[in-house]
Amino acid sequence: MEVEGQDLDRRNKDAPPQMNKGLRRALIAVNCVLMAIGNAGGPLLLRLYFHSGGKRQWLSGWLETSGWPIIFLPLLVSYLHRRRRFLRGPGHRHQPPTKLFFITRPLFLYCAALGLLLGLDDFLYAYGLSFLPVSTSALLISAQLVFTAFFAFVLVKQKFTPYSINSVVLLTVGAVMLGLHVSSDRPNNVTRGEYYMGFVLTLGAAAVYGLFLPLVELTYTKAKQAITYTLVMEMQMVMGFFATAFCTVGMLVNKDFQAIPREAKHYEQGEFRYYVVLVWCAILWQFLFLGTVGVIFCVNTLLAGVLIAVFIPVTEVFAVIFFKEKFGSEKGVALALSLWGLASYSYGEYREGKLSYSSTSPHLFSLSLW
């Protein structure tokens, strides 16, 4: 019995304690702020890059995940906290050292594959945005719920509900309306063919991300270990690294690294501001990813979806103010349909979540910071 007790202590040494309400609320608030800043600032800065003379699609896709080293900071804080708690515990000299990371080899490989898929999504989104106004791109990206619902049905057996079907119809109609009014907001230096290409590429990015989210959920299910916030950050870091590596290969083939100094010299905002835009673009996109992961972990996917929906009109307003983009009646109707569809989907998820909450496996998710 004593040996079994020692083995149990070793297994539970790194098991995270439950998070108190105050810390949980603070973490939710921080992640909501990060998500809000990244959700509004990331697409706007990326569009500013193209608007002021930038032309490298692989570079712009690379910027969306190249800020992944930022995650080292919260991971270091997590490790130091666990290490301090371990040293203060009784009998620590006779126990194995504190784990440096929690991610297992199979989970690492899953996240690496997801990272490559995310890199493809980054490239498609950036390439599409190079031909589209931010306001149009934001509306098209909201169609990812259509693809998420479909792939969730195929991969994780999530059933269609009247609410999800309603959202699919509304978002599809909104996308069709934008496509039929192609000439109303096409940038001056973009041809009709390029605009349609951007339209298709952005919808492709929405489809890839719609596949990505159910695959992440499937990865959580297959992980066979407690999903803590620390583990989620480790997974995000692995996905960010491989997504960046995917775009780095594209940059090397396209010779983007050699083109950066030349592009900076001819940038309309000036050479110094060119590099400022690149750096802050990478930081803000990482804010978005970190905030989204944190909100999903601390609350649920529903709140993350609601926040994304809330910031669609905010992004629209900023695009009109900073880039003088046109916002005609067709965009207004498409925006209303998109928000209606997102609201319908979110309400359906809320109802389903209330019904299935009690049946969630308690060992799969651990509401703990560490």
Side-chain angles (χ1 to χ4, degrees):
M1 292 294 293
E2 183 178 355
V3 174
E4 292 179 358
Q6 290 175 353
D7 291 340
L8 184 61
D9 288 340
R10 291 191 184 98
R11 288 195 298 269
N12 293 336
K13 175 179 65 63
D14 286 306
Q18 292 296 306
M19 190 189 308
N20 63 64
K21 291 184 179 180
L23 182 58
R24 178 173 178 269
R25 290 173 180 172
L27 189 61
I28 292 173
V30 169
N31 281 293
C32 286
V33 171
L34 289 176
M35 190 177 178
I37 295 174
N39 205 357
L44 289 171
L45 275 184
L46 197 58
R47 182 57 197 168
L48 177 62
Y49 164 76
F50 290 115
H51 186 267
S52 300
K55 299 182 182 299
R56 318 304 295 190
Q57 286 88 5
W58 280 109
L59 169 62
S60 54
W62 182 85
L63 291 173
E64 293 178 43
T65 52
S66 60
W68 64 265
I70 295 174
I71 305 178
F72 274 120
L73 181 58
L75 285 178
L76 177 61
V77 173
S78 173
Y79 173 77
L80 294 177
H81 175 83
R82 298 197 314 272
R83 179 66 178 171
R84 185 172 65 252
R85 181 164 56 89
F86 166 68
L87 292 176
R88 289 178 179 178
H92 65 271
R93 294 182 180 178
H94 304 288
Q95 296 183 15
T98 304
K99 285 185 178 181
L100 184 61
F101 52 85
F102 291 103
I103 192 169
T104 60
R105 183 178 297 179
L107 190 56
F108 177 89
L109 295 176
Y110 291 146
C111 291
L114 288 173
L116 296 177
L117 185 64
L118 182 60
L120 173 62
D121 180 69
D122 293 340
F123 173 69
L124 292 175
Y125 174 79
Y127 207 162
L129 187 60
S130 65
F131 299 131
L132 296 178
V134 179
S135 52
T136 302
S137 177
L139 290 172
L140 291 176
I141 284 296
S142 67
Q144 73 185 33
L145 281 179
V146 176
F147 301 103
T148 300
F150 171 76
F151 288 118
F153 171 77
V154 174
L155 295 174
V156 294
K157 310 303 180 183
Q158 180 174 317
K159 297 180 180 180
F160 281 101
T161 66
Y163 303 100
S164 61
I165 294 174
N166 182 52
S167 67
V168 167
V169 173
L170 291 171
L171 291 169
T172 302
V173 172
V176 171
M177 285 192 60
L178 290 176
L180 293 176
H181 294 81
V182 61
S183 60
S184 63
D185 69 340
R186 179 162 49 91
N188 296 329
N189 59 340
V190 175
T191 66
R192 180 178 288 268
E194 290 175 335
Y195 185 97
Y196 276 121
M197 180 186 296
F199 198 93
V200 173
L201 288 172
T202 303
L203 285 179
V208 173
Y209 201 69
L211 172 62
F212 175 80
L213 292 178
L215 285 176
V216 171
E217 182 178 348
L218 188 63
T219 302
Y220 286 159
T221 304
K222 302 295 184 181
K224 297 180 181 179
Q225 65 184 109
I227 306 297
T228 65
Y229 189 50
T230 298
L231 179 60
V232 167
M233 287 193 294
E234 292 176 3
M235 294 169 63
Q236 174 62 35
M237 186 174 68
V238 173
M239 288 187 285
F241 172 82
F242 280 94
T244 305
F246 178 89
C247 292
T248 300
V249 173
M251 290 179 66
L252 291 172
V253 173
N254 202 41
K255 298 182 179 180
D256 280 8
F257 288 106
Q258 297 91 322
I260 288 175
R262 298 195 303 269
E263 193 172 67
K265 292 180 180 179
H266 298 90
Y267 195 65
E268 293 179 7
Q269 304 292 329
E271 186 173 357
F272 175 74
R273 291 185 179 180
Y274 174 84
Y275 291 108
V276 171
V277 168
L278 296 190
V279 170
W280 275 103
C281 188
I283 293 174
L284 291 182
W285 276 109
Q286 199 57 46
F287 280 4
L288 173 59
F289 289 131
L290 270 176
T292 303
V293 166
V295 169
I296 292 174
F297 174 78
C298 294
V299 188
N300 51 35
T301 309
L302 172 62
L303 179 58
V306 169
L307 289 176
I308 291 174
V310 167
F311 274 89
I312 289 178
V314 174
T315 304
E316 303 272 346
V317 171
F318 284 152
V320 172
I321 294 175
F322 293 116
F323 300 119
K324 310 300 181 183
E325 293 183 1
K326 298 178 182 178
F327 193 82
S329 57
E330 69 282 348
K331 278 191 180 181
V333 174
L335 176 60
L337 291 174
S338 297
L339 292 177
W340 184 5
L342 289 166
S344 176
Y345 184 88
S346 299
Y347 182 70
E349 288 292 295
Y350 170 73
R351 286 176 58 90
E352 289 295 314
K354 289 186 66 176
L355 294 175
S356 62
Y357 177 78
S358 59
S359 62
T360 303
S361 300
H363 67 276
L364 182 60
F365 294 94
S366 177
L367 187 55
S368 167
L369 178 60
W370 314 113

